[in-house]
């Protein structure tokens, strides 16, 4: 009965989950796991970017019309944009810092004035103030800019790796990020503003690259110069570097951060622009700070931007100290790896249980966390007596020694400054450092992944510098002990050396704090070169470079033994398909043919169907590559494009039971082996398994509009080979056509023709009725969908010749090329599609290095314009 139902119902194309509503911005929100979901709960899949130049006729036409003047203009605009990105990011950083410090300043003024009368009232005001700030942040993020949650670095890393995650570079994400960071950082949560600043820089860069925001009518045609994802990628790289440069006042660190951590492709031309942008940021920030010093910015004075100048004093270290420093590296690796693991665990728990209940739960969660953090930061210092107070440091708000990090407003930067300071040697007892370490580590782990903009640099530095200082104290006590024991037996000279050494250790215990900070960041984020330079830039102390290098190498090696870096873990968790720089080992044994069409088992449950369709009836759409299995009994290869209408309760009862199912069958020379293991009874009774069969979906050169529509509806692929037939009947691949380009053609309709013959056959020329810019899809938003296009029945009966619009030179590899080689090609050229073909039989030429050493008549400018993405 069920089979009849199925067979009768199969009519038109597409799986139910590919019929998602259009990716309207408003319908999208970030889920608990950082995955963007539409209002019906379906996930918005990430798409690849087209970093490859699509050399269709429109592109070639446009290139032919461009003279040298245009090339100069194009390059000039790139530099202008680099300047604007630097200015924009610098100003955004200044705005965030001024706001954070002023909010926090007002909070402390108010709290301290009330505390004089009543501790309890002061405490309540303090908690409420923090709550207000945090609420504003989480409200903005959940209601207005879901993609602004978190640091944004995994998503930006994905973008620069070629994956477009919806919504990450929108105007409202930028606004949400800036306003959200002010609230979350100002409220004293265990997070920092550095990651959000990287995201802010990337958003500014991307918005400039696309000429502003069309959604908010803030765009200008003058800025709409860049037509390809490749150009925008370069700008976003500049934005990331600018973010780090602004956050740490570390311009070189910013450049290296972009190079080491976020980008996947790097060119020397890009290096200069990134360098320039970072330098601009440094100037903007410095100018703003100079202006603010004269009291123009309220509570914002010299603080705010991370710079802990510990260049004063004479940093020296002996060979024997290398061992405790290496120990700091090991501790950093262990604690960093543990941090990554715990955050991974908690984020996945949040996804599966907590955040399923909606935005309200996210808001309550963050507010609760803020209250707990406030209670700890207010209450912990009270547990320790404040006498005797040391001489207050100039420009310091510390009036007595309390556990670090508990100075409220200055919870982050100033606490670290104290930990790094050589002048606060005696202020922290081991007990308060340990208490603080446990508390802050826990808070940082729990705060990570909440729905507010949050960076992990400052929490990392806080944690690391605390245990670094603890290790320093331990080393001092060991030296003291050994000195007392040895004092009686050893020669006097030895004792004198030890005493001098102890005094040195006391003087330079802040070095341990600094090394601890570097080790934790290295152990968690697994950066080396950039982190090393950032640490040197923010501490203004070049002499420490070798020590920081040593500690970073050890902590990275230890961390790598346990898990991946924080950003890679988070990217994987969020479903961002990052291509790492190295292929996996097993790829060496696989060929290109074996690698393509790599499919996952797709399942849909009756409950899913009910949720999606809001009906007791689900519509399932199948194309000619879809097979349906009811576990264990029947198989329905659907060979014609069709639609099945199934009653949900029928799916539930019809899906029968097997505990282990092996299906292996042949389909057009491709073998699909499916293994379904240990399915629980509950799962089986309501699961319909759908397997997509692998077969390349191609277009003929001249294709009927109805077929285009049906194929586009029938699958989600974004690139299709276009085939033609030679006179002797041989099938030729003539190029690659993108879905987005087909949609532009369907929407404009101007290229439709009545004849099923190619235009040359009919004596015509290749028609060029489109500008290349028409094929450019908006940044970080899904373009039009096939369901948006309305075609009459007459339109559907017409044809279109795809030859002028396809990319005639896609990358092609022979089927037996090893998958490692394919991976390297794909990764290094930033490709989106590669065709796998049978071993070609004819050779028409051979290119060597010498063929590529062509005299450059056009000048390097043209190379800049047309260079590939390598
Ligand atoms: P991306 O997702 O990177 O933007 P895409 O959308 O073109 O690119 P997908 O549809 O996501 O690619 O690819 C999923 C799987 O489908 C891959 O295994 C790929 O080999 C296969 N695939 C892609 N395009 C086609 C096609 N035209 N015909 C058949 N299989 C395809």
């Amino acid at each position: 009965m069920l089979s009849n139902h199925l067979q009768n119902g199969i009519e038109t194309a597409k799986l139910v989950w590919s019929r998602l509503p259009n990716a309207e911005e408003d319908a999208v929100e970030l889920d608990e796991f950082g995955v963007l979901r539409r209002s019906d709960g379906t996930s918005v899949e990430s798409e690849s970017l087209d970093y490859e130049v699509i050399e269709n006729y429109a592109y070639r036409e446009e290139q032919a019309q461009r003279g040298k003047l245009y090339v100069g203009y194009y390059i000039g605009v790139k530099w202008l944009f680099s300047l604007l990105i630097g200015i924009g990011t610098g100003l955004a950083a200044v705005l965030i810092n001024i706001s954070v410090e002023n909010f926090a300043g007002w909070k402390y003024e108010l709290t301290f004035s009330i505390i004089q009368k009543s501790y309890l009232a002061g405490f309540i005001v303090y908690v409420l103030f923090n709550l207000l700030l945090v609420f504003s942040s989480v409200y903005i993020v959940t209601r207005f800019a879901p993609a602004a949650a978190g640091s944004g670095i995994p998503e930006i890393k994905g973008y620069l790796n070629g994956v477009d995650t919806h919504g990450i570079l929108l105007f409202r994400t930028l606004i949400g990020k800036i306003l959200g960071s002010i609230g979350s950082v100002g409220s004293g949560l265990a997070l920092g503003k550095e990651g959000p600043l990287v995201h802010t820089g990337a958003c500014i860069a991307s918005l400039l690259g696309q000429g502003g925001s069309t959604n908010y009518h803030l765009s200008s045609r003058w800025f709409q110069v860049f037509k390809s994802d490749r150009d925008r990628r370069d700008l976003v790289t500049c934005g990331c570097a600018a973010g780090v440069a602004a956050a740490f006042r570390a311009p070189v660190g910013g450049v290296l951060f972009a190079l080491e951590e976020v980008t996947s492709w790097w060119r020397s031309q890009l290096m200069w622009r990134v360098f320039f942008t970072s330098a601009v940021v440094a100037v903007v920030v410095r100018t703003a700070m100079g202006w603010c010093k004269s009291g123009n910015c309220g509570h914002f004075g010299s603080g705010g931007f991370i710079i802990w100048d510990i260049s004063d004093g004479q940093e020296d270290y002996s060979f024997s100290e290398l061992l405790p420093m290496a120990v700091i590296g090991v501790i950093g690796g262990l604690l960093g790896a543990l941090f990554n693991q715990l955050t991974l665990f908690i984020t996945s728990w949040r996804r599966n249980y907590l955040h399923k209940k909606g935005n309200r739960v996210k808001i309550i969660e963050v507010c609760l966390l803020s209250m707990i953090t406030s209670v700890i930061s207010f209450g912990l210092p009270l547990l320790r007596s404040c006498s005797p107070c040391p001489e207050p440091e100039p420009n310091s708000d510390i009036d007595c020694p309390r556990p670090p990090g508990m100075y409220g407003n200055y919870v982050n930067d100033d606490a670290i400054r104290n930990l790094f300071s050589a002048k606060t040697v005696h202020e922290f007892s081991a007990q308060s450092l340990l208490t603080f370490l446990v508390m802050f580590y826990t808070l940082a782990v729990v705060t990570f992944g909440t729905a507010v903009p949050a960076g992990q640099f400052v929490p990392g530095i806080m944690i690391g510098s605390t245990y670094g200082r603890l290790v320093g104290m331990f080393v001092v006590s060991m030296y003291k002990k050994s000195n007392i024991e040895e004092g009686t037996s050893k020669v006097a000279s030895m004792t004198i050396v030890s005493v001098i050494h102890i005094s040195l250790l006391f003087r330079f215990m802040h070095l341990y704090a600094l090394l601890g900070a570097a080790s934790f960041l290295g152990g968690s984020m697994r950066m080396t070169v950039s982190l090393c330079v950032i640490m040197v830039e923010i501490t203004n102390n070049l002499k420490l470079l070798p020590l920081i290098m040593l500690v970073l190498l050890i902590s990275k090696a230890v961390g790598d033994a346990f898990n991946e870096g924080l950003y890679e873990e988070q990217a994987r968790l969020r479903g961002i398909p990052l291509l790492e720089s190295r292929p996996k080992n097993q790829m060496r044994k696989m060929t290109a043919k074996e690698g393509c069409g790599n499919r996952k088992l797709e399942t849909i449950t009756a409950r899913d169907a009910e949720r999606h369709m809001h009906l007791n009836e689900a519509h399932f759409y199948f194309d000619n590559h879809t097979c349906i299995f009811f576990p264990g009994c029947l198989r329905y290869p659907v060979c014609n494009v069709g639609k099945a209408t199934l009653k949900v309760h029928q799916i539930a009862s019809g899906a029968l039971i097997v505990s282990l199912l092996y299906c292996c069958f042949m389909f057009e020379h491709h073998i699909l082996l499916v293994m379904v293991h240990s399915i629980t009874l509950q799962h089986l009774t309501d699961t319909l398994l759908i397997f997509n069969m692998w077969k390349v979906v191609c277009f003929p050169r001249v294709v009927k509009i109805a077929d285009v529509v049906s194929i586009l509806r029938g699958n989600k692929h974004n690139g299709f080979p276009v085939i033609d037939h030679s006179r002797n009947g041989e099938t030729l691949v003539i190029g690659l056509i993108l879905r987005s380009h087909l949609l532009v053609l369907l929407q404009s309709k101007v290229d439709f023709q009545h004849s099923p013959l190619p235009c040359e056959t009919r004596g015509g020329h290749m028609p060029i009725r489109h500008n290349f810019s028409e094929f450019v899809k908006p940044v970080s938003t899904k373009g039009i969908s096939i369901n948006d296009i309305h075609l009459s029945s007459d339109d559907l009966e017409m044809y279109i010749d795809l030859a002028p619009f396809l990319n005639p030179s896609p990358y092609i590899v022979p089927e037996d090329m090893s998958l490692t080689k394919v991976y390297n090609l794909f990764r290094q050229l930033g490709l989106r599609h590669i065709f796998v073909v049978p071993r070609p039989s004819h050779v028409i030429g051979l290119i060597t290095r010498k063929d590529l050493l062509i005299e450059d008549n056009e000048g390097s400018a043209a190379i800049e314009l047309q260079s590939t993405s390598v």
Side-chain angles (χ1 to χ4, degrees), residues 46-49 596-599 694-698 716-721 832-833:
S46 51
E47 259 190 21
S48 295
L49 293 154
C596 58
N598 190 9
R599 288 190 171 281
W694 190 79
K695 187 192 172 197
V696 180
V697 183
C698 300
K716 295 182 281 180
H717 306 317
N718 283 294
F720 305 92
R832 189 178 189 184
H833 300 102

Side-chain angles (χ1 to χ4, degrees), residues 148-290:
S151 74
I153 294 180
E155 289 82 359
I156 298 299
K157 203 173 151 88
Y159 182 86
L160 295 176
N161 194 259
V163 187
D164 186 10
T165 311
H166 179 80
I168 54 158
L169 297 171
L170 297 176
F171 181 66
R172 63 178 183 170
T173 305
L174 170 68
I175 300 298
K177 204 88 196 180
I178 294 176
L179 298 181
S181 299
I182 293 171
S184 62
V185 179
S187 71
L189 284 177
L191 45 82
K193 53 189 176 286
E194 297 67 36
L197 268 174
V198 173
H199 193 173
T200 302
C203 287
I204 291 173
S206 170
L207 285 165
L208 274 172
Q210 65 172 348
S213 167
T214 37
N215 289 338
Y216 295 93
H217 309 291
L218 293 170
S219 59
S220 157
R221 282 186 58 201
W222 291 101
F223 283 112
Q224 288 166 359
V225 183
F226 298 121
K227 306 275 166 60
S228 72
D229 285 337
R230 196 164 44 100
D231 289 328
R232 291 172 190 151
R233 179 192 68 193
D234 289 356
L235 292 179
V236 171
T237 308
C238 291
C240 290
V244 173
F248 295 106
R249 282 205 275 157
V252 184
V255 176
L256 291 174
F257 175 82
L259 171 64
E260 184 185 4
E261 188 54 29
V262 287
T263 57
S264 300
W265 300 283
W266 192 256
R267 290 175 293 130
S268 53
Q269 296 102 319
L270 179 59
M271 166 80 99
W272 304 129
R273 281 205 301 278
V274 173
F275 195 65
F276 173 65
T277 310
S278 300
V280 171
V281 172
V283 173
V284 170
V285 168
R286 198 161 190 93
T287 312
M289 287 191 69

Side-chain angles (χ1 to χ4, degrees), residues 463-650:
I463 293 166
S465 50
T466 309
Y467 71 71
R469 211 163 168 123
L470 265 172
V471 172
M473 289 171 95
F474 179 73
V475 172
V476 170
S477 69
M478 290 300 286
Y479 266 104
K480 260 186 179 172
K481 215 170 143 196
S482 66
N483 184 41
I484 292 164
E485 280 167 9
E486 287 172 9
T488 50
S489 57
K490 303 268 170 154
V491 288
S493 60
M494 275 291 286
T495 313
I496 290 164
V497 169
S498 294
V499 169
I500 291 170
H501 203 80
I502 290 167
S503 71
L504 273 178
L505 278 172
F506 266 123
R507 273 188 71 193
F508 306 126
M509 206 190 290
H510 61 287
L511 294 188
Y512 283 86
L514 172 68
L515 295 178
S519 74
F520 186 81
L521 293 178
S524 170
M525 294 169 188
R526 311 289 157 78
M527 297 189 283
T528 49
V529 184
S530 52
L531 205 51
C532 189
V533 174
I534 290 174
M535 292 311 283
V536 169
E537 284 188 288
I538 60 180
T539 53
N540 205 6
N541 198 325
L542 201 62
K543 285 183 192 160
L544 302 179
L545 193 64
L547 293 180
I548 297 176
M549 286 165 78
L550 171 85
V551 158
L552 278 174
L553 284 173
I554 295 174
S555 62
K556 180 178 160 48
V558 172
D560 279 344
F562 292 96
N563 48 30
E564 283 185 289
L566 184 70
Y567 299 133
E568 286 78 24
E569 293 269 19
Q570 289 301 317
R572 198 158 47 83
L573 217 71
R574 282 154 207 245
I576 300 170
L578 280 186
L579 287 184
E580 292 301 329
S581 51
R582 276 193 338 180
K584 297 266 182 276
N585 277 343
Q586 61 264 36
M587 286 186 178
R588 259 183 277 151
K589 295 178 203 145
M590 292 171 73
T591 63
K593 188 181 172 186
E594 288 162 353
C596 58
N598 190 9
R599 288 190 171 281
K600 277 193 238 143
L601 174 72
E602 291 178 340
T603 66
I604 185 161
T605 66
R607 251 175 281 125
D608 286 338
E610 245 170 343
R611 201 176 67 229
H612 292 315
M613 309 309 293
H614 307 292
L615 285 171
N616 196 25
E617 191 175 63
H619 300 268
F620 294 95
Y621 294 84
F622 306 102
D623 66 7
N624 50 354
H625 314 302
T626 305
C627 277
I628 314 162
F629 286 88
F630 289 95
C633 48
L634 297 164
R635 186 184 92 195
Y636 298 96
V638 183
C639 293
N640 57 333
V641 171
K643 180 177 98 181
T645 303
L646 305 174
K647 296 277 182 202
V648 169
H649 62 86
Q650 282 178 340

